[in-house]
Amino acid sequence: MKRFCILLMALCLHVFAAHAQQVFTIDGYVDEEIADSCYNIYLGDEYFKIQDEPVATVPIVNKRFTYSIPLEKVTAGRIRCIFPGGELCSDWINLFFVPGETIKLTVHNGYFSWDFPNTYKRKVDRGVMTVRNATNMQSPHLPKLKGKIWKDAYYESWPSEELYVKDVIFGEDETVLRLMSEEHLRNMTIHKSFYLEDDNGNKYKFKRMVYGVADANNGPEARVYGVYCAFEPLPKDVHHFSLCMTTETGYKELLRNIQKAPKKKTKKANFQMNIKISEGIDDTGYLIHLYNKDRGYTRTQIADIPATGKTCTFKTYIDKPYLTDITATFPDGSVCSHCVRIVSIPGETAEIKVMNGTYQLDGTNFYKAWGDASDFAENSIPYRTEEERVELLKNYLKQHATEEGCVVYYVQHRLLPRETLEELIPQEVWDGRLRNILQFLHY
């Protein structure tokens, strides 16, 4: 069953379940010119902070090394070389250690490369979201700062796969930004060339890292809880400002118009999803990811919802349509490599039936139009030539071209050539409330 949830205001619902331990394995290789003889392995605590004492020392034999450890949940890990004589290398490799996964890692001269399955990334994303919500985004290792705070600050842009600002702390001697990322497997680097620019064009230089490192890749703990960067103090009465960085070509604006977030009001739920799991399907819950065009089409996990029995319902408030992915989780805690992608619509109810490798979508207006189009497309296949089928699909779209559910189904599944879809779908639909979603699906 697919339990589907959308929460615009970053409200997340998580239910935690204990899973049996599963083994995480590093299958390691070392380049021929590398003289490393062994590696220390370190683990993180429950807040992903790497501990000082190693838990194992792994020898390199014939340019290969292997390390395995049983785990119940995602944690932080580190690999650090020991040079002949016992000296520790000044550099190391930080990773997420993930139950039930195997990664292939190759050590080169001064860097490393690695390969991992898609399930590894999905489990990391889920694990990070779980611990963020379980700890309310707090860790005993984070700094305690004084000053006025803009919590969950608002900003107008978020380049894809880049940083975003969570909090702004206005101290007497410095302004501190808590910067985070949702791309947990990518490098997270804070540059000393960062600076702030207020609404009058005044610039405020980078001063120091309160938490995290600058001009180097931050590790798992920072990727989970964020980094704290201090700048010269902004004026007390500043209304908005931007985060920029100096580059070889001048400057680059990273986050525009950072400002105090408007007060959030609790609003009555206006979207509902009911999901039924077919017999023989072992889904135990669902991860819900939301796409946001305003933030570079990034996909953010907003909920991790358990399934009870073979049906579930979720209600929430959304301010506009959102493209949403629904991904199954399994009894052993693993995550499905495929997802159901739908559009959530304010004021409507979606009915989803999950089957083996497919699903059915029905419900109120939008979803009924989507389901009717799906039924027609499937029923137009038998006993017809391709030319006959295309003609049937064109005629159906002509009759239902103003129905958003039908249009989304046609575009999402590419039932007709691109130019035909553009010709038959009215411009007012392309330019309507689903504009960004249709552009994304039609790309």
Side-chain angles (χ1 to χ4, degrees), residues 107-133:
V107 180
H108 308 287
N109 187 13
Y111 68 101
F112 73 96
S113 59
W114 62 326
D115 186 34
F116 52 85
N118 190 42
T119 51
Y120 173 85
K121 181 182 187 306
R122 291 173 182 265
K123 288 181 181 179
V124 169
D125 290 344
R126 185 188 190 193
V128 170
M129 183 60 70
T130 298
V131 75
R132 282 178 175 178
N133 284 276

Side-chain angles (χ1 to χ4, degrees), residues 207-438:
K207 288 182 62 178
R208 68 187 180 104
M209 293 298 297
V210 181
Y211 185 76
V213 296
D215 290 337
N217 190 21
N218 281 275
E221 184 184 12
R223 298 184 194 188
V224 173
Y225 291 102
V227 296
Y228 288 72
C229 315
F231 299 83
E232 295 175 333
L234 285 162
K236 300 297 183 182
D237 60 349
V238 67
H239 293 111
H240 56 82
F241 63 92
S242 296
L243 173 66
C244 308
M245 70 177 293
T246 303
T247 66
E248 294 180 356
T249 58
Y251 84 99
K252 177 181 180 181
E253 191 173 45
L254 301 176
L255 296 168
R256 182 184 304 115
N257 289 339
I258 301 168
Q259 56 192 274
K260 185 177 181 179
K263 289 185 178 180
K264 298 175 181 178
K265 297 181 179 180
T266 302
K267 297 185 178 181
K268 185 178 180 180
N270 64 349
F271 173 79
Q272 178 172 327
M273 176 169 285
N274 304 315
I275 306 175
K276 181 177 181 180
I277 302 175
S278 299
E279 292 297 329
I281 303 298
D282 295 328
D283 297 359
T284 57
Y286 298 92
L287 305 182
I288 309 304
H289 290 83
L290 187 75
Y291 285 85
N292 192 335
K293 167 62 172 63
D294 298 331
R295 293 183 170 180
Y297 283 128
T298 43
R299 195 182 81 142
T300 303
Q301 181 182 318
I302 60 167
D304 185 345
I305 305 170
T308 303
K310 292 294 181 181
T311 62
C312 67
T313 297
F314 188 81
K315 302 177 182 180
T316 192
Y317 171 83
I318 52 175
D319 67 333
K320 62 181 180 181
Y322 285 92
L323 190 66
T324 307
D325 286 351
I326 309 161
T327 308
T329 57
F330 302 129
D332 63 358
S334 61
V335 181
C336 184
S337 59
H338 296 83
C339 67
V340 171
R341 178 168 292 171
I342 71 167
V343 178
S344 54
I345 302 292
E348 299 224 25
T349 298
E351 305 281 349
I352 294 182
K353 181 179 181 181
V354 178
M355 298 171 288
N356 187 13
T358 186
Y359 67 100
Q360 291 178 348
L361 179 60
D362 202 345
T364 55
N365 300 330
F366 177 90
Y367 304 104
K368 184 178 187 308
W370 196 100
D372 288 345
S374 174
D375 289 343
F376 182 85
E378 291 297 322
N379 293 331
S380 68
I381 295 176
Y383 314 114
R384 292 185 173 90
T385 65
E386 180 61 20
E387 291 77 11
E388 291 172 337
R389 181 170 183 268
V390 167
E391 194 61 30
L392 285 171
L393 290 172
K394 288 170 64 176
N395 289 334
Y396 185 89
L397 180 56
K398 289 177 183 178
Q399 297 171 26
H400 302 273
T402 60
E403 298 175 9
E404 292 174 326
C406 174
V407 169
V408 168
Y409 181 81
Y410 266 70
V411 173
Q412 182 176 356
H413 293 276
R414 296 175 170 83
L415 295 186
L416 293 170
R418 183 185 184 95
E419 58 274 12
T420 304
L421 291 172
E422 293 174 353
E423 175 187 349
L424 297 180
I425 298 172
Q427 194 60 43
E428 57 265 28
V429 176
W430 288 112
D431 295 337
R433 62 173 181 167
L434 300 182
R435 178 178 65 257
N436 291 332
I437 292 173
L438 289 173

Side-chain angles (χ1 to χ4, degrees), residues 76-177:
R78 175 175 294 168
I79 303 170
R80 192 172 184 181
C81 173
I82 305 176
F83 292 133
E87 180 186 0
L88 279 173
C89 179
S90 59
D91 293 323
W92 53 76
I93 299 171
N94 286 329
L95 301 167
F96 286 100
F97 286 13
V98 181
E101 296 295 323
T102 297
I103 64 171
K104 294 185 178 181
L105 186 146
T106 303
V107 180
H108 308 287
N109 187 13
Y111 68 101
F112 73 96
S113 59
W114 62 326
D115 186 34
F116 52 85
N118 190 42
T119 51
Y120 173 85
K121 181 182 187 306
R122 291 173 182 265
K123 288 181 181 179
V124 169
D125 290 344
R126 185 188 190 193
V128 170
M129 183 60 70
T130 298
V131 75
R132 282 178 175 178
N133 284 276
T135 61
N136 195 28
M137 295 291 288
Q138 295 300 314
S139 161
H141 308 303
L142 297 179
K144 308 297 182 183
L145 302 177
K146 295 182 179 180
K148 181 180 70 174
I149 301 178
W150 288 353
K151 294 192 69 66
D152 298 317
Y154 174 81
Y155 46 92
E156 291 185 358
S157 63
W158 179 8
S160 181
E161 302 170 359
E162 294 284 348
L163 301 168
Y164 69 95
V165 60
K166 185 180 189 302
D167 303 325
V168 182
I169 303 97
F170 297 91
E172 288 295 327
D173 302 317
E174 57 190 16
T175 296
V176 178
L177 269 61

